[in-house]
């Protein structure tokens, strides 16, 4: 949308969507809302400092500043140009509710169905424009030539036919891979496809050890609803967490902020209670909102109330079982403040990219990330393509990609892809989960290497037409690859910070680890190293929180 608004008249945009445009993915599932500074008593500087402190000071500071500075502009565009309707106070101002880690109540929302409202209006707007949608089509791998991205090989999942798409600029925005864990929140189609494609091109990924666990994933037995988020707005409104001994256990872990502590702290506290034998039989703790009143809960959180009733529980009248659940990947492809990567012609936005959230993302900053970075990429792409000739691609490269991905269809027999997927999720949960140790991580890496090796023997039955087993194989190939980057980065960081907690290194170590861990492919496998954080805007030594707003990002400042 921004590319079309700011680009040349003959701009030709093709959107490749793994499922249905505007009706799939995680943004549509967002219950909580969108953090933006709209109130005169709030400030961009405060939002920025909340984001940096929430990220435990390893954020890419320019990226973080870009997010918070542009969030109010995107909210105004969503409301004024696209007709997105947000809840309002009685005085007519946009209502903003509290979320954990905020110094001011700044989360804009539409009840607890904010994502549906935003994605529906964006989809409606794009359908009026000259944009080509390829639905139920997945990107398989990037095409490069002379050191630049020139397009991608994509697969029409319905017909099983491959297509080569060449482009003067490619934007990756596929979402992360939190689904690599046995309890997780994201849409099922998310499988770290963008991160895996970038890694295979030798691009560096950063902060991959920073996988966020949301503290209140609904436990619903052996159903797909298990892991679905009970949004933290309800903790912001005053809901409590209890163990099975009727103790409000956050008193021990965060006596000042209690349930409004950041996600990493609450998740780890719940995990500790469960591991200490004070959890439910299904491995959870209890979320209690009954003291807020049935009518208030039903009116304020209608989506969550309905969801709990659908699984035989009722958020408005009883305590419900919740567990930490894999939710969001702070790590991803290294980019600059305009989503550019080290590969010319390739841009990365949203959860595919790393840096903006450091070691922990604040609730309400996720949709900010996807919309603001999407805007940044859209605004710089026209500059990239202006005056460039249509790119050509290497047919041999495309053929090698297709041969690799179709190989399981030609094997007479081999490993079962669904069993390997279950094994991957169990290994990640047990060895690379909420609480980690060096010993467990090393064992987890061995298991992941073995899973990736066994993937080479997977056989897939049936034809290429709408073959779910084959698509599961492609998902697993990407998830297993990125899972190994998570485990290796977690082993490399010998301290605890944000979402990354090492039981053998329980303390935060600013002397050694105000740094980002990077990982990339090399001839010997995976190369891991660290680079010091660049304190471009502010430094943790600035106890007064003073911020120097340095930016080379013209779009962020002028739009």
């Amino acid at each position: 949308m921004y590319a079309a608004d700011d680009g040349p008249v003959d701009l030709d945009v093709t959107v490749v969507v793994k499922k249905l445009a505007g009706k799939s993915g995680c943004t549509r599932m967002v219950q909580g809302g969108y953090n933006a500074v709209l109130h005169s008593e709030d400030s961009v500087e405060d939002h920025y400092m909340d984001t940096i402190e929430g990220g435990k000071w390893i954020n890419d500071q320019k990226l973080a500043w870009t997010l918070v500075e542009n969030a109010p502009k995107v909210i105004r565009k969503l409301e004024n140009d696209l007709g997105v309707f947000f809840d309002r106070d009685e005085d007519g101002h946009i209502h903003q509710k509290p979320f954990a880690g905020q110094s001011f109540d700044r989360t804009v929302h539409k009840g607890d169905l904010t994502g549906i409202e935003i994605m529906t209006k964006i989809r409606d707007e794009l359908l009026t424009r000259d944009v080509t949608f390829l639905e139920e089509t997945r990107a398989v791998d990037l095409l490069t030539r002379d050191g630049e991205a020139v397009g991608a090989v994509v697969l029409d999942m319905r017909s099983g036919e491959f297509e080569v798409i060449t482009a003067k600029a490619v934007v990756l925005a596929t979402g992360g891979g939190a689904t690599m864990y046995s309890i997780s929140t994201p849409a099922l189609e998310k499988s770290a496809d963008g991160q895996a494609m970038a890694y295979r091109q030798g691009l560096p990924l950063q902060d991959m050890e920073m996988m966020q666990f949301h503290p209140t994933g609904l436990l619903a037995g052996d159903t797909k609803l298990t892991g679905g988020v009970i949004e933290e707005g309800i903790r912001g409104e005053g809901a409590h967490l209890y163990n099975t001994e009727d103790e409000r256990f956050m008193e021990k872990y965060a006596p000042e902020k209690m349930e409004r502590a950041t996600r990493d702290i609450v998740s780890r506290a719940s995990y500790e209670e469960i591991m200490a034998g004070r959890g439910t039989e299904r491995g959870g703790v209890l979320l209690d909102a009954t003291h807020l009143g049935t009518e208030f809960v039903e009116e304020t959180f209608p989506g969550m109330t309905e969801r709990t009733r659908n699984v035989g529980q009722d958020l408005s009248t009883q305590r419900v079982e919740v567990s930490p659940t894999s939710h969001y990947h702070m790590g991803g492809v290294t980019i600059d403040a305009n989503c550019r990567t080290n590969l010319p012609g390739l841009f990365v936005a949203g959860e595919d990219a790393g840096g903006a959230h450091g070691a922990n993302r604040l609730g309400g900053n996720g949709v900010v990330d996807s919309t603001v970075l999407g805007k940044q990429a859209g605004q710089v792409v026209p500059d990239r393509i202006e005056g460039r000739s249509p790119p050509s691609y290497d047919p041999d490269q495309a053929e090698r990609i297709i041969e690799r991905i179709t190989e399981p269809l030609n094997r007479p027999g081999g490993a079962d892809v669904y069993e390997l997927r279950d094994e991957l999720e169990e290994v990640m949960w047990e060895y690379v989960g909420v609480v980690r140790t060096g010993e467990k991580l090393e064992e987890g890496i061995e298991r992941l290497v073995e899973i990736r090796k066994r993937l080479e023997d997977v056989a897939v039955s049936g034809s290429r037409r709408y073959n779910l087993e084959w698509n599961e194989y492609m998902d697993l190939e990407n998830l297993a690859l990125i899972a190994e980057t998570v485990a290796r980065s977690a082993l490399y960081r010998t301290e605890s910070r944000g979402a990354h907690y090492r039981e053998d290194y329980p303390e935060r170590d600013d002397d050694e680890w105000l740094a980002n861990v990077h990982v990339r492919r090399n001839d010997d496998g995976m190369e891991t190293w660290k680079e010091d954080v660049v304190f471009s805007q502010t430094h943790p030594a600035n106890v007064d929180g003073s911020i120097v707003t340095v930016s080379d990002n013209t779009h962020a400042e002028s739009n």
Side-chain angles (χ1 to χ4, degrees):
M1 186 165 55
Y2 280 98
D5 287 346
D6 294 356
V9 175
D10 61 348
L11 193 67
D12 182 4
V13 178
T14 297
V15 180
V16 178
V17 190
K18 200 171 179 180
K19 293 293 184 180
L20 299 178
K23 296 183 177 180
S24 57
C26 284
T27 301
R28 186 176 175 83
M29 298 167 65
V30 167
Q31 302 166 346
Y34 191 115
N35 293 343
V37 174
L38 303 177
H39 197 283
S40 59
E41 295 179 10
D42 196 9
S43 73
V44 172
E45 286 76 12
D46 285 346
H47 187 186
Y48 173 78
M49 287 307 302
D50 289 345
T51 301
I52 295 297
E53 290 178 350
K56 313 304 179 191
W57 288 92
I58 64 166
N59 314 58
D60 180 312
Q61 296 201 349
K62 287 185 178 180
L63 264 180
W65 182 260
T66 297
L67 291 192
V68 302
E69 185 185 42
N70 283 273
K73 302 168 188 173
V74 173
I75 284 290
R76 285 194 285 273
K77 185 174 184 66
L78 288 171
E79 188 171 58
N80 298 336
D81 296 353
L82 275 64
V84 174
F85 185 80
F86 297 111
D87 286 357
R88 290 183 174 271
D89 295 324
E90 292 181 357
D91 62 6
H93 293 108
I94 291 178
H95 180 260
Q96 293 181 278
K97 62 182 179 180
F99 259 28
Q102 293 179 345
S103 57
F104 191 90
D105 298 350
R106 65 171 68 93
T107 303
V108 177
H109 65 104
K110 170 63 175 173
D112 63 350
L113 300 170
T114 311
I116 291 177
E117 175 71 9
I118 291 174
M119 288 307 299
T120 299
K121 297 297 173 55
I122 290 177
R123 179 178 182 274
D124 290 348
E125 172 66 20
L126 289 177
L127 288 176
T128 69
R129 300 183 178 225
D130 186 20
V131 175
T132 300
F133 286 97
L134 300 179
E135 295 184 314
E136 295 191 279
T137 300
R138 63 182 302 157
V140 178
D141 243 332
L142 297 169
L143 292 169
T144 58
R145 190 155 207 174
D146 299 327
E148 297 191 4
V150 297
V153 174
V154 305
L155 170 66
D156 183 329
M157 297 160 66
R158 291 168 291 196
S159 68
E161 297 299 319
F162 289 97
E163 183 177 353
V164 170
I165 299 177
T166 57
K168 298 175 185 176
V170 179
V171 181
L172 285 177
T174 67
T179 52
M180 66 180 67
Y181 289 85
S182 55
I183 301 178
S184 64
T185 68
L188 298 178
E189 68 269 20
K190 290 181 72 172
S191 53
D193 298 339
Q195 293 175 352
M197 285 187 273
Y199 177 90
R200 284 193 284 267
Q201 291 298 327
L203 291 176
L205 311 180
Q206 69 177 80
D207 306 326
M208 297 302 284
E209 71 278 22
M210 300 302 177
M211 181 68 76
Q212 182 175 79
F213 290 84
H214 194 291
T216 52
L218 179 65
L219 287 182
D222 189 21
T223 75
K224 294 295 184 186
L225 290 177
T226 284
V229 162
I230 302 293
E231 65 125 315
E232 69 186 56
I234 200 162
R235 286 185 287 120
E237 294 290 353
H240 300 159
L241 285 165
Y242 291 91
N243 60 26
T244 52
E245 296 180 1
D246 205 30
E247 295 172 329
R248 194 177 164 196
F249 58 83
M250 287 308 299
E251 292 176 347
K252 293 185 292 185
Y253 301 94
E256 293 186 4
K257 295 186 177 180
M258 301 289 283
E259 285 83 0
R260 287 190 65 173
T262 52
R263 292 174 174 177
D264 55 323
I265 295 172
V266 183
S267 288
R268 196 158 55 251
S270 296
Y271 178 87
E272 297 284 358
E273 291 298 306
I274 296 166
M275 291 298 103
R278 295 186 288 272
T280 65
E281 290 184 2
R282 293 196 290 193
V285 292
L286 299 167
L287 178 69
D288 187 357
T290 57
H291 57 283
L292 301 177
T294 300
E295 184 177 350
F296 174 82
V297 174
E298 288 178 335
E299 291 182 355
T300 309
F301 304 102
M304 290 192 298
T305 301
E306 181 180 359
R307 178 178 296 183
T308 56
R309 287 173 177 167
N310 286 340
V311 297
Q313 304 182 55
D314 190 336
L315 184 66
S316 69
T317 62
Q318 65 181 144
R319 296 177 178 180
V320 299
E321 286 187 79
V322 295
S323 162
T325 177
S326 175
H327 182 56
Y328 185 91
H329 205 171
M330 279 74 73
V333 183
T334 300
I335 61 170
D336 70 8
N338 279 325
C339 304
R340 290 177 292 228
T341 68
N342 290 350
L343 181 63
L346 180 67
F347 301 80
V348 177
E351 196 180 352
D352 301 49
H357 308 290
N360 183 53
R361 175 177 70 77
L362 296 184
N365 270 359
V367 191
V368 180
D369 184 313
S370 55
T371 56
V372 169
L373 292 187
K375 161 185 165 305
Q376 297 300 110
Q379 288 178 321
V380 298
V381 160
D383 293 336
R384 156 73 189 178
I385 67 177
E386 186 175 9
R388 298 179 71 86
S389 302
S392 59
Y393 72 100
D394 177 0
D396 291 340
Q397 184 188 26
E399 189 59 33
R400 287 194 298 273
I401 292 170
I402 294 171
E403 286 179 2
R404 173 177 63 81
I405 217 67
T406 56
E407 198 172 345
L409 291 162
N410 302 320
R411 295 189 185 115
D416 184 294
V417 68
Y418 294 109
E419 290 180 359
L420 278 182
R421 173 68 182 263
D422 289 343
E423 187 173 337
L424 172 77
E425 294 176 6
E426 291 167 5
V427 167
M428 290 303 290
W429 189 260
E430 182 173 352
Y431 297 97
V432 200
V434 179
V435 175
R436 303 160 174 173
T437 68
E439 183 178 358
K440 276 194 167 185
L441 288 167
E442 288 178 351
E443 186 171 349
I445 290 169
E446 288 183 12
R447 297 280 300 275
L448 291 171
V449 170
E450 180 189 348
I451 288 171
R452 292 187 62 202
K453 183 67 178 175
R454 287 161 60 195
L455 256 174
E456 298 175 1
D457 296 325
V458 160
V460 171
S461 59
S463 71
R464 290 175 10 187
R465 293 172 62 86
Y466 229 132
N467 188 325
L468 298 181
E469 186 180 5
W470 186 30
N471 277 278
E472 182 73 18
Y473 166 81
M474 288 181 263
D475 288 347
L476 182 57
E477 181 188 53
N478 290 337
L479 283 172
L481 170 62
I482 296 306
E484 188 176 338
T485 69
V486 173
R488 291 192 182 279
S489 299
L491 180 64
Y492 190 85
R493 183 179 285 275
T494 52
E495 65 148 4
S496 291
R497 183 180 299 269
H500 171 69
Y501 183 77
R502 289 281 298 263
E503 201 170 47
D504 46 353
Y505 294 95
E507 303 298 326
R508 173 170 147 176
D509 181 0
D510 280 358
D511 290 336
E512 294 292 331
W513 286 106
L514 280 172
N516 303 108
V517 175
H518 295 255
V519 58
R520 69 181 168 201
R521 188 186 71 177
N522 66 15
D523 294 339
D524 298 324
M526 290 186 181
E527 176 188 14
T528 309
W529 74 100
K530 69 175 182 178
E531 295 180 7
D532 291 342
V533 172
V534 177
F535 297 109
S536 58
Q537 319 287 114
T538 187
H539 192 281
N542 293 347
V543 292
D544 61 352
S546 59
I547 300 169
V548 179
T549 53
V550 178
S551 177
D552 60 1
N553 182 351
T554 55
H555 285 292
E557 294 181 339
S558 63
N559 291 278

